[in-house]
């Protein structure tokens, strides 16, 4: 399959204005040597290994950078290979329906007179960046570095709705924690994973911006671009700090939730213990009264056996004696249970 099959946009620009689009990558490369010094900007999406290799052959890209573009799943970074810059950015979008963050991946090759973008995601389009620059010929006329600035600025700005979505999720989680929602622990864990993934996408941005800033003097970066890139760095720093804050907030919320769950469990155990003690008291009372009532039954049962040879049967005072014995035994048992606080 030819490399043009994965090309979503290709154009030539002269002095910041779009001119006739080339029919192929080789035509674009050939026209870059024309006297008016045009710049080529070509965007690809999900190219195959063969297509990337064809592109690398046309624009003479470094094999290590090409390998990274083929393998994908790279961390954000900026590397220089001779006159070509290779950058990896990880744009993100927030999905309201699933309340998740989806991280994309964009590889950028910046040459002296060309820009190649390799997009490994369908959800994030770079069309707005091209529209912005085509609407600002003065900025686009500053060359490929202006395109790199606009791409980084687009990625950093796109983190704003993601951060807003995560802030809303954290607020909801805090309410769930205080409402003792049993599903909140799972949600905290899932959101912590989302934040960790976003942190891995945003934190290296500061290294990228530092590397670009370090090359301002060496590579003669336009002064206006320097100011723009410093502004993007400030925004990126704010994004990184807020994402780091989310990680800390979620850790605190998880600790708070564990504390509240432990308190709830302790309260439940206390109630169960109190219920058990109350039940034991009732059992003691029942057992004490059962013992008191059993004593008269035992005495009356003995004297009700009707054996002929029982000395007490001939007593004149046998009946009063039996009744008195029952009362004495019951009173003694009552006093004993009372002292032991069974009654």
């Amino acid at each position: 399959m030819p490399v043009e099959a994965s090309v979503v946009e290709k154009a030539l620009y002269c002095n910041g204005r779009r001119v006739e689009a080339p029919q192929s990558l080789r035509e674009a490369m050939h026209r870059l040597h024309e006297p008016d010094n045009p710049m080529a900007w070509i965007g690809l999406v999900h190219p195959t290994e063969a297509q990337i290799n064809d592109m690398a052959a046309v624009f003479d890209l470094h094999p290590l950078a090409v390998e990274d573009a083929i393998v994908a799943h790279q961390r954000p970074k900026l590397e220089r290979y001779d006159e070509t810059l290779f950058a990896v950015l990880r744009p993100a979008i927030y999905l309201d329906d699933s309340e998740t963050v989806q991280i994309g991946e964009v590889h950028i090759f910046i040459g002296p007179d060309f820009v190649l973008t390799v997009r490994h995601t369908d959800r994030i389009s770079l069309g707005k960046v091209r529209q912005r620059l085509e609407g600002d010929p003065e900025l686009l006329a500053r060359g490929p570095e202006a395109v790199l600035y606009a791409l980084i600025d687009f990625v950093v700005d796109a983190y704003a709705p993601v951060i807003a979505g995560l802030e809303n999720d954290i607020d909801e989680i805090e309410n769930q924690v205080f409402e003792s929602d049993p599903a909140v622990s799972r949600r905290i864990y899932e959101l912590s994973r989302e934040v960790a993934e976003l942190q891995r996408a945003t934190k290296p941005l500061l290294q990228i911006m530092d590397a670009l800033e370090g090359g301002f003097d060496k590579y003669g970066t336009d002064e206006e671009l320097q100011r723009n890139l410093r502004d993007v760095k400030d925004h990126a720093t704010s994004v990184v700090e807020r994402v780091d804050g989310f990680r800390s907030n979620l850790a605190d919320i998880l600790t708070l939730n564990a504390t509240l769950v432990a308190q709830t469990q302790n309260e439940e155990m206390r109630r169960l213990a109190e219920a058990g003690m109350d039940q034991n008291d009732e059992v003691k009372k029942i057992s004490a009264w059962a013992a008191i009532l059993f004593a008269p039954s035992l005495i009356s049962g003995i004297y009700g056996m009707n054996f002929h040879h029982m000395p007490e049967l001939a007593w004149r005072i046998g009946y009063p004696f039996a009744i008195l014995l029952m009362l004495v035994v019951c009173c003694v048992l009552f006093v004993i249970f009372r002292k032991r606080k069974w009654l």
Side-chain angles (χ1 to χ4, degrees), residues 305-329:
M305 289 188 292
N306 295 324
F307 290 114
H308 291 289
H309 301 289
M310 292 182 67
E312 295 83 359
L313 292 178
W315 285 4
R316 184 178 295 276
I317 61 172
Y319 174 73
F321 175 78
I323 296 298
L324 180 61
L325 180 60
M326 293 180 190
L327 291 174
V328 170
V329 172

Side-chain angles (χ1 to χ4, degrees), residues 44-342:
L44 299 89
V45 59
H46 294 303
T48 64
E49 179 177 351
Q51 290 169 339
I52 293 178
N53 286 328
D54 288 345
M55 180 183 68
V58 172
F59 290 94
D60 192 25
L61 303 179
H62 195 280
L64 292 178
V66 172
E67 182 181 353
D68 287 344
I70 292 173
V71 175
H73 303 292
Q74 303 293 317
R75 62 177 180 83
K77 61 182 179 178
L78 180 71
E79 296 175 343
R80 180 174 290 276
Y81 297 96
D82 299 325
E83 294 184 342
T84 302
L85 275 177
F86 175 64
V88 178
L89 301 177
R90 301 295 302 276
I93 57 173
Y94 181 79
L95 304 179
D96 289 320
D97 295 338
S98 59
E99 295 185 340
T100 57
V101 178
Q102 183 165 348
I103 308 292
E105 186 170 347
V106 177
H107 296 182
I108 308 166
F109 295 89
I110 303 292
D113 49 10
F114 66 85
V115 177
L116 306 175
T117 58
V118 179
R119 182 158 51 90
H120 293 281
T121 177
D122 292 319
R123 288 186 174 270
I124 300 171
S125 173
L126 302 179
K128 291 183 178 179
V129 181
R130 192 182 291 268
Q131 292 174 7
R132 172 194 172 186
L133 288 173
E134 290 180 353
D136 188 356
E138 184 179 351
L139 177 60
L140 186 55
R142 300 179 190 277
E145 285 188 339
V147 179
L148 177 60
Y149 149 72
L151 288 168
I152 297 175
D153 187 46
F154 169 76
V155 170
V156 173
D157 287 346
Y159 289 133
V162 177
I163 289 175
L166 291 174
E167 283 182 337
N168 183 65
D169 288 345
I170 291 175
D171 290 340
E172 291 178 356
I173 284 176
E174 288 177 343
N175 293 332
Q176 285 182 279
V177 167
F178 288 106
E179 292 172 0
S180 300
D181 189 337
V184 70
S185 296
R186 181 181 181 87
R187 191 176 181 188
I188 293 174
Y189 171 74
E190 292 175 348
L191 190 59
S192 296
R193 291 181 59 185
E194 300 289 337
V195 170
E197 186 69 20
L198 183 61
Q199 194 175 37
R200 285 191 288 270
T202 58
K203 205 160 191 176
L205 280 174
L206 300 183
Q207 299 176 0
I208 292 175
M209 302 310 298
D210 287 340
L212 287 174
E213 189 172 4
F216 284 169
D217 296 333
K218 182 177 181 180
Y219 298 103
T221 303
D222 182 85
E223 290 186 4
E224 184 64 23
L225 281 180
Q226 291 184 28
R227 288 189 285 268
N228 290 340
L229 286 168
R230 289 192 182 99
D231 181 65
V232 173
K233 181 181 179 180
D234 290 340
H235 293 169
T237 301
S238 176
V239 168
V240 171
E241 289 176 350
R242 295 180 72 179
V243 174
D244 290 345
F246 290 159
R247 194 79 180 268
S248 177
N249 289 344
L250 286 171
D252 292 341
I253 291 173
L254 186 61
T255 301
L256 174 61
N257 182 61
T259 301
L260 293 177
V261 169
Q263 289 179 350
T264 302
Q265 292 176 342
N266 291 339
E267 184 66 21
E268 186 65 25
M269 292 296 294
R270 186 185 64 80
R271 286 197 296 267
L272 290 174
E274 290 177 351
M277 292 176 63
D278 293 340
Q279 187 176 14
N280 289 338
D281 290 340
E282 294 298 325
V283 171
K284 289 178 180 179
K285 290 179 181 180
I286 294 172
S287 300
W289 285 113
I292 292 172
L293 295 175
F294 176 72
S297 300
L298 178 62
I299 295 172
S300 63
I302 292 174
Y303 287 103
M305 289 188 292
N306 295 324
F307 290 114
H308 291 289
H309 301 289
M310 292 182 67
E312 295 83 359
L313 292 178
W315 285 4
R316 184 178 295 276
I317 61 172
Y319 174 73
F321 175 78
I323 296 298
L324 180 61
L325 180 60
M326 293 180 190
L327 291 174
V328 170
V329 172
C330 288
C331 290
V332 171
L333 290 175
F334 181 83
V335 171
I336 293 173
F337 290 134
R338 189 78 173 191
K339 286 185 177 180
R340 295 187 176 182
K341 297 182 180 180
W342 282 34

